[in-house]
């Protein structure tokens, strides 16, 4: 009997998409990046490495720095500057997490107490500033003005996205287009920049830069769409934060945009009371989940995410097929299948 190939398997036999192939291919580089992160967190001010180490040690998938490592290798880079750039990307991401948790008054991040819950808001904000500064020191050491331009622009766009989200919070008239603007800025911008700089450090043509930028941007949008969906559907142990946080904070995400648009007058009054007025009772989250499910908003959000994930995989077409490209394509599939 002929061996069963991946394409021949029945759907139930298909293995779930995973980041494991990417981890295996990048293991040595990622270990060196982790050591560099620990080294650059050092400060004679003891609270800085203590607080920064708390959020870094909380884990996370290191997906953004892995995108830098993978894109550089995909472009044939053989130097070591991609290690410093990957660490810079992780510091930017970690700094934004510290600041976001303060803004959102979050108590849980990746299943652990947030830094602001342990040490307070002021230290969390200031250590976030320290990590931003460290990221720029790493960029400057690489010596590429183009990379500095790309990452500094991404950092500015992320901040703009967070402010935009703050403005649209509690506004049930938020459109899908406005929502997408927010997540393109606050999430996809760093995915895109992290991927793009791999081509820049490898001195590859602008076409390859653009392809990797499109890959990262589409991957980032897919990732955030699924995050927003999981806020209403995941178990807390899988989500790594408190389920329903977005609802309690009045954030207008795509599941809510869809449910609001498809709801009747009574349902819209519910959304206005709970999100615009912030009047939430103990049973309101459960009702929000029922309304979102009734109107197919979770399935619709997941379907949109899968389109972006497919676009991300297609963006890699200019690169030769091989284990690394396949692992990046699988990372796009993983973005939409995690948490189930």
């Amino acid at each position: 009997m002929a061996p069963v190939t991946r394409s021949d398997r029945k759907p139930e036999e298909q293995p779930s998409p995973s980041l494991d192939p990417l981890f295996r291919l990048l293991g040595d580089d990622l270990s060196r990046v982790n050591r560099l992160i620990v080294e650059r967190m050092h400060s004679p001010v003891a609270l800085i490495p203590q607080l920064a180490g708390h959020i870094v040690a909380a884990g996370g998938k290191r997906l953004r720095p892995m995108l830098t490592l993978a894109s550089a290798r995909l472009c044939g880079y053989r130097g070591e500057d991609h290690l410093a750039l990957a660490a810079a990307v992780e510091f930017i991401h970690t700094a934004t997490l510290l600041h976001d948790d303060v803004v959102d008054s979050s108590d849980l991040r990746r299943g652990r107490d947030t830094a602001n819950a342990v040490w307070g808001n002021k230290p969390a904000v200031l250590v976030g500033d320290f990590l931003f500064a460290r990221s720029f020191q790493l960029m400057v050491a690489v010596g590429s003005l183009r990379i500095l331009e790309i990452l500094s622009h991404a950092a500015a766009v992320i901040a703009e996205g967070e402010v935009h989200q703050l403005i649209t919070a509690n506004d049930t008239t938020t459109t899908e287009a406005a929502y997408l603007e927010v997540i393109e800025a606050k999430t996809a911008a760093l995915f895109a920049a992290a991927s793009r700089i791999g081509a820049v450090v490898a001195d590859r043509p602008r076409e390859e830069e653009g392809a990797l930028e499109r890959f990262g941007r589409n991957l980032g949008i897919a990732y955030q769409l699924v995050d927003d969906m999981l806020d209403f559907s995941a178990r807390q142990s899988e989500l790594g934060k408190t389920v329903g946080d977005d609802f309690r904070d009045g954030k207008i995400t795509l599941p809510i945009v869809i449910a609001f648009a498809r709801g009747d007058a009574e349902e819209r009054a519910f959304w206005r009371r709970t999100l615009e007025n912030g009047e939430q009772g103990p049973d309101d989250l459960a009702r929000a989940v029922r309304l979102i499910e009734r109107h197919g908003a979770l399935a619709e959000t997941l379907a949109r995410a899968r389109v972006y994930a497919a676009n991300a995989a297609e963006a890699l077409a200019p690169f030769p097929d091989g284990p690394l490209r396949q692992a990046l394509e699988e990372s796009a599939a993983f973005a939409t299948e995690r948490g189930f």
Side-chain angles (χ1 to χ4, degrees):
M1 181 181 292
V4 177
T5 66
R6 182 183 178 95
S7 59
D8 292 330
R9 290 190 183 104
K10 295 178 182 179
E12 63 270 22
E13 296 174 338
Q14 293 276 11
S16 298
S18 169
L19 293 179
D20 289 346
L22 207 54
F23 277 115
R24 285 194 296 269
L25 291 167
L26 301 173
D28 290 343
D29 278 356
L30 193 57
S31 294
R32 296 174 69 188
V33 170
N34 285 332
R35 289 196 293 271
L36 183 58
I37 287 170
V38 172
E39 174 189 319
R40 292 307 181 101
M41 284 193 308
H42 178 72
S43 167
V45 180
L47 180 58
I48 291 176
Q50 186 180 7
L51 191 152
H54 174 82
I55 189 168
V56 170
K61 299 175 181 67
R62 295 282 195 274
L63 181 53
R64 294 156 187 82
M66 280 204 297
L67 294 178
T68 299
L69 299 175
S71 61
R73 292 305 190 203
L74 190 65
C75 291
Y77 182 66
R78 293 293 178 264
E80 296 195 346
D81 283 344
H82 66 315
L83 304 174
L85 294 175
V89 165
E90 183 65 5
F91 278 152
I92 292 173
H93 175 55
T94 305
T96 62
L97 295 183
L98 285 169
H99 290 166
D100 289 352
D101 286 340
V102 171
V103 171
D104 296 338
S105 300
S106 298
D107 296 322
L108 200 65
R109 165 74 65 179
R110 296 168 181 163
R112 301 181 65 186
D113 291 337
T114 56
N116 51 294
V118 177
W119 286 278
N121 288 341
K122 292 178 182 178
V125 169
L126 293 173
V127 172
D129 293 343
F130 171 85
L131 294 179
F132 266 126
R134 276 288 192 253
S135 73
F136 283 99
Q137 287 177 328
L138 286 161
M139 292 179 226
V140 170
V142 169
S144 168
L145 281 177
R146 287 208 60 234
I147 289 174
L148 183 61
E149 177 188 10
I150 291 166
L151 287 178
S152 61
H153 176 72
V157 169
I158 292 166
E160 290 173 343
E162 293 294 348
V163 174
H164 192 179
Q165 184 175 62
L166 198 62
I167 293 170
T168 59
N170 312 104
D171 184 0
T172 56
T173 65
T174 299
T175 63
E176 183 175 338
Y179 162 81
L180 287 171
E181 283 182 19
V182 168
I183 67 171
E184 283 200 44
K186 79 184 194 74
T187 301
L190 188 55
F191 275 77
S195 302
R196 181 181 179 185
I197 60 175
V200 179
V201 76
D203 197 25
R204 300 301 298 165
R206 292 293 180 101
E207 291 77 11
E208 292 186 14
E209 275 187 48
L212 286 167
E213 196 274 347
R214 288 191 298 278
F215 165 76
R217 185 170 300 280
N218 281 283
L219 177 61
I221 294 172
Y223 209 88
Q224 188 61 56
L225 283 169
V226 172
D227 255 13
D228 293 345
M229 183 196 72
L230 290 176
D231 192 66
F232 293 99
S233 61
R235 289 190 294 269
Q236 186 164 309
S237 59
E238 294 171 339
L239 191 58
K241 64 177 184 178
T242 308
V243 172
D245 268 354
D246 290 347
F247 175 74
R248 281 184 284 269
D249 292 340
K251 290 182 180 178
I252 309 299
T253 58
L254 187 58
I256 291 173
V257 171
I258 293 170
F260 185 85
R262 296 176 180 176
D264 57 26
E266 181 184 352
E267 292 171 2
R268 292 186 181 189
F270 165 79
W271 292 118
R272 292 190 185 100
R273 172 177 65 79
T274 56
L275 299 176
E276 290 187 1
N277 301 334
E279 298 172 3
Q280 296 185 10
D283 299 324
D284 283 337
L285 175 59
R287 184 181 178 191
V289 171
R290 288 196 300 272
L291 292 178
I292 284 170
E293 291 176 342
R294 176 187 302 170
H295 294 293
L298 295 180
E300 182 70 23
T301 300
L302 181 58
R304 308 277 181 90
R306 285 174 172 159
V307 170
Y308 283 106
N311 291 340
E314 289 172 9
L316 297 173
F319 300 96
D321 194 16
L324 193 52
R325 175 177 153 183
Q326 291 168 12
L328 284 170
E329 290 171 348
E330 186 166 347
S331 73
F334 168 80
T336 63
E337 303 307 321
R338 61 203 169 91
F340 302 107

